[in-house]
Amino acid sequence: MQITRNVNPSGRGRAEWFTGDVYTDVVASQVGDWRMRAALVRFTPGARTAWHTHPRGQTIWIMEGVGLCQREGGPIEVLRQGDRVFFEPDENHWHGAAPDRFMTHLAMHEADETGSVADWGRHVTDEEYSQPPVER
Ligand code: MN
């Protein structure tokens, strides 16, 4: 049994992986054969990930606010509290907050044999981000 106390400050999302201000807290880290990692990610308005893929896929669960996500070749989709999204392994995508709203999600993903959970690409441009989203 391993208890990890809530003593670490929230991390700042790395500038090469995110646009805007993003704060992260570890929920589950890799230990031994346990490969699932999870993070609480708080996006300020307009903040979003860069384009990226996950070797084993990823589920995000929207906890608060209004978010956006997009897979390569698809429209931008609106996300609200309680929505969840599964990104297929190696599906290129991004996720983040709406332009005028905060968004917090729980992100869950499994590491591959090399310990990688994500492969990062270029930033989402303002032009890409400002395309009108669909809501269904
Ligand atoms: Mn992702």
Side-chain angles (χ1 to χ4, degrees), residues 33-111:
D33 290 336
W34 177 264
R35 288 188 170 185
M36 184 188 151
R37 291 192 214 163
L40 187 68
V41 187
R42 295 181 171 98
F43 297 84
T44 58
R48 67 268 188 181
T49 69
W51 287 97
H52 64 284
T53 61
H54 302 282
R56 295 276 194 259
Q58 179 185 53
T59 291
I60 61 171
W61 188 68
I62 310 303
M63 301 182 69
E64 182 193 48
V66 181
L68 301 173
C69 72
Q70 184 179 28
R71 66 176 174 84
E72 190 174 4
I76 297 176
E77 306 261 3
V78 176
L79 301 172
R80 296 179 185 280
Q81 190 275 324
D83 291 346
R84 65 188 150 94
V85 184
F86 176 67
F87 300 103
E88 297 280 348
D90 298 323
E91 181 173 57
N92 199 28
H93 70 282
W94 62 268
H95 31 107
D100 53 356
R101 296 293 297 270
F102 288 80
M103 187 274 281
T104 300
H105 71 45
L106 183 62
M108 295 157 275
H109 33 254
E110 199 178 22

Side-chain angles (χ1 to χ4, degrees), residues 11-20 22 24 48 50 120 123:
R12 298 294 296 267
R14 290 169 60 167
E16 61 263 49
W17 296 351
F18 296 95
T19 297
V22 176
T24 62
R48 67 268 188 181
W120 293 93
H123 284 102

